[in-house]
Amino acid sequence: MVYSYEEYEEYIHEDYKELIEEKMSRGEAIARTFNEYDMLAKKSETDKALFCTIISEISLSHEKIPYTFKNYMEQSLIELDFKVIKQENSLTSEQYIDLINRKDYVLQELKKKPLDYFPRACWYYDELVEEVQRFINNFKLENENTDSIVTTVLQRFDRDCDNTKSEKFIVYTTLAENLYNHGLTGVDSIEDVKHVLKSFSIEDVSDEQLTEDEQENLADRIKSVLSNLK
């Protein structure tokens, strides 16, 4: 066993949170964390059990789970041999029982999670709206001069705007709504924001990560904010 019971818990959660702090979506952060520990998890059956259980627990906090990831984790958890884990003698009796209970729980809960069939790690709709809103709120609290709000927000989310068209339009829409709601319609680069939103077509995002309801909601938001910004 590479790490102790407590160390696995601490290190995996710590690395995942650091990736979130590096401005990654939860989906990208869990994928990076998975890759970081995947080889270590092959060291022993105990390592594998801890890794699969902890990673699955984190994924349960996400809005959706990629279907390939869910299938892999379910199969890995089902195939765990707890007789071997007991023989490896790396866990106390309490830890052994706790791990079995945690494994059973995540297997049960994974079956309930909505699935994501989009092949790329990206932000989900509500997740990204909340993140953009949080960033804008912090910016306004920290800056008396808001003229640079557009460029600052777009710099923060530049990777995401390049990832999928859905993410780009979510960022621009949430930004435009905030500019209107806070009376910032005269700030620098607002015309660039409007220009991007005017180019939107629902077909642009129809084959990406958004559901049909989310696509329609985004289209309605763009139509509304453009009308308000005239």
Side-chain angles (χ1 to χ4, degrees):
M1 185 173 175
V2 176
Y3 297 131
S4 72
Y5 194 82
E6 293 79 10
E7 285 174 333
Y8 253 116
E9 189 86 32
E10 178 184 350
Y11 294 158
I12 291 178
H13 278 275
E14 186 177 278
D15 288 349
Y16 170 75
K17 289 176 182 177
E18 284 180 358
L19 292 170
I20 296 291
E21 290 170 0
E22 290 177 15
K23 304 173 182 178
M24 292 185 188
S25 67
R26 294 183 182 92
E28 186 176 359
I30 197 73
R32 295 282 189 93
T33 306
F34 178 93
N35 291 334
E36 180 78 19
Y37 286 89
D38 187 39
M39 291 304 295
L40 286 177
K42 294 177 170 63
K43 297 290 184 180
S44 73
E45 195 72 3
T46 306
D47 288 294
K48 179 182 177 182
L50 283 166
F51 168 74
C52 291
T53 301
I54 296 167
I55 287 289
S56 296
E57 287 173 339
I58 294 173
S59 70
L60 290 177
S61 69
H62 295 187
E63 182 180 338
K64 300 177 184 178
I65 299 180
Y67 80 99
T68 52
F69 178 80
K70 174 179 177 283
N71 291 343
Y72 177 83
M73 297 311 296
E74 279 187 329
Q75 191 63 31
S76 298
L77 290 164
I78 290 170
E79 291 175 352
L80 289 173
D81 191 334
F82 275 83
K83 289 183 180 179
V84 172
I85 293 173
K86 194 165 190 175
Q87 291 169 359
E88 288 173 347
N89 201 31
S90 298
L91 305 177
T92 66
S93 297
E94 291 78 9
Q95 291 169 341
Y96 179 80
I97 294 170
D98 182 59
L99 185 57
I100 291 175
N101 291 335
R102 290 169 67 183
K103 182 266 296 185
D104 289 343
Y105 177 78
V106 293
L107 269 175
Q108 173 185 321
E109 293 302 309
L110 280 171
K111 299 181 186 302
K112 303 176 185 178
K113 293 297 292 185
L115 298 181
D116 175 17
Y117 293 92
F118 191 63
R120 193 183 310 166
C122 54
W123 293 86
Y124 296 124
Y125 187 74
D126 291 336
E127 179 190 14
L128 184 52
V129 171
E130 290 173 6
E131 185 65 21
V132 176
Q133 186 66 60
R134 185 181 301 111
F135 183 81
I136 291 173
N137 289 343
N138 289 338
F139 175 87
K140 290 178 72 278
L141 286 172
E142 296 169 2
N143 296 273
E144 292 184 9
N145 187 341
T146 55
D147 285 341
S148 64
I149 186 171
V150 172
T151 55
T152 303
V153 172
L154 296 182
Q155 285 172 0
R156 156 64 183 89
F157 295 98
D158 59 342
R159 287 179 67 251
D160 312 301
C161 288
D162 289 338
N163 192 35
T164 66
K165 292 179 181 178
S166 299
E167 286 163 288
K168 178 179 180 178
F169 284 114
I170 292 169
V171 170
Y172 274 78
T173 302
T174 308
L175 172 58
E177 289 171 340
N178 275 270
L179 296 178
Y180 174 75
N181 291 336
H182 295 287
L184 301 175
T185 56
V187 297
D188 297 339
S189 302
I190 190 171
E191 291 301 320
D192 295 335
V193 175
K194 291 164 63 176
H195 177 74
V196 169
L197 293 179
K198 287 176 181 177
S199 72
F200 173 80
S201 169
I202 204 164
E203 287 76 18
D204 293 335
V205 299
S206 61
D207 60 350
E208 295 184 339
Q209 73 268 34
L210 302 184
T211 65
E212 290 186 5
D213 286 345
E214 290 169 343
Q215 293 171 30
E216 292 174 4
N217 181 266
L218 180 60
D220 289 342
R221 289 173 63 198
I222 291 173
K223 181 179 179 181
S224 176
V225 75
L226 283 175
S227 176
N228 290 333
L229 290 174
K230 282 183 179 178

